[in-house]
Amino acid sequence: MIRPYRSVLYIPASRERALEKARELAADAIIFDLEDAVAPDEKGRARELLARVLREADYGARARIVRVNGLGTEWVAGDLAAFGDHPGVDAVLLPKVNGPADLDAVAGPVRAPLWAMLETTKGCLNAAAIAAHPRLEGMVMGTNDLAKELGARFRPDRLPLLAGLGACVMAARAEGRIIVDGVFNAFKDEAGLRAECEQGRDMGFDGKTLIHPAQLDIANEVFAPSEEEVALARRMIAAYAEARARGEGVAVVDGKIVENLHVATAEALIGKAEAIAALAV
Ligand code: COA
Ligand code: MG
């Protein structure tokens, strides 16, 4: 069964209250952050707190992803030692991955699947090689860091980021990896969040990283197939089966052609809707 990644919520590993609250939140996945959301003098305490919480707390179906500190920092070795083979960890997320060699550097002590943050210009240029790393499972866009490196301005249409976003989605799809879009910083702006979720969904992202629980419902809704989409997918599959029974290779639904590739997309959409429905029971 495919696992949905519509909503991927960051939680600073130092915030005990938020760690506790997340067991009840409607997030498909959680990124427990040891990196930028934790101040340097809090790193040790956050690591210990998170190691204990992940041993004791039940996060249900939510994927548990730990973002460690970056290569070259004084904390990364300790983070990998604490979480690389921890029973409460589903994946380890390495920030600022510039190329596949960065993943090789952490693969040894980590038993869990690896995820990579794509947030540097080098990383985006090397996205295909990163996605092809045999230990890689998922990719996360770091749009704030990417905008900073590019010297790009923030615009509602994200035009300055589209080359990087598109390169990373293409790389992820070429290798069958999960890929999640970057965060929307203005966490009280619901219309802005919705528009950015829709843009990411239309580009092919599996979901969006989020910084606040108030963002969960919109991401869960936008990245889930709607009832109309599921109904249309079922009609396309049925119409194509009828066409095949008549010895034809093409059907027409609502004035649009349906070929075998459209049927494959329709089946994938229904599979996603079923995986989401299974979460609710
Ligand atoms: N995950 C889980 N719970 C969260 C949360 C999160 N990311 N952010 C806030 N909450 C909880 C708070 O604990 C609070 O719960 P309570 O009222 O039951 O105690 C509730 O949601 C409301 O929080 P609110 O007061 O609106 O927000 P805040 O001012 O406490 O925090 C941020 C705002 C932005 C600092 C906080 O949301 C945050 O730290 N987000 C994650 C940042 C991060 O990880 N960045 C790294 C990647 S970009
Ligand atoms: Mg970053």
Side-chain angles (χ1 to χ4, degrees), residues 9-12 15 17-18 21 33 37 67 187 211-213:
L9 179 65
Y10 280 104
I11 305 184
R15 285 188 66 169
R17 172 86 189 107
K21 201 179 162 74
D33 190 24
R67 182 165 82 169
F187 59 86
I211 50 175
H212 193 280

Side-chain angles (χ1 to χ4, degrees), residues 71-242:
L71 289 172
T73 67
E74 63 190 273
W75 306 289
V76 63
D79 291 348
L80 294 171
F83 298 102
D85 192 14
H86 187 298
V89 174
D90 296 310
V92 168
L93 172 61
L94 186 67
K96 301 189 175 70
V97 175
N98 286 319
D102 289 349
L103 295 170
D104 287 338
V106 301
V110 177
R111 177 202 51 87
L114 295 174
W115 282 48
M117 296 281 315
L118 278 288
E119 54 186 340
T120 62
T121 44
K122 280 208 175 78
C124 290
L125 289 168
N126 291 327
I130 293 167
H133 193 280
R135 294 281 310 277
L136 193 83
E137 181 180 64
M139 296 155 73
V140 177
M141 296 308 307
T143 36
N144 283 322
D145 269 299
L146 185 58
K148 170 173 161 268
E149 273 208 9
L150 286 169
R153 295 200 181 181
F154 288 94
R155 296 172 32 143
D157 64 3
R158 295 200 294 176
L159 188 68
L161 297 176
L162 289 185
L165 294 170
C168 293
V169 175
M170 201 167 311
R173 292 297 167 233
E175 300 293 340
R177 309 304 187 206
I178 301 153
I179 184 157
V180 185
D181 200 356
V183 300
F184 183 71
N185 295 329
F187 59 86
K188 293 191 171 143
D189 173 3
E190 294 191 359
L193 173 66
R194 181 175 291 274
E196 210 173 274
C197 285
E198 287 173 352
Q199 183 193 38
R201 175 200 61 195
D202 292 354
M203 287 184 76
F205 285 100
D206 291 296
K208 195 154 180 72
T209 45
L210 308 171
I211 50 175
H212 193 280
Q215 298 183 310
L216 287 165
D217 287 349
I218 289 174
N220 283 337
E221 182 197 323
V222 172
F223 284 95
S226 68
E227 279 176 30
E228 296 76 39
E229 285 171 322
V230 172
L232 175 61
R234 291 196 197 286
R235 285 198 291 130
M236 288 165 70
I237 292 168
Y240 185 76
E242 283 165 28

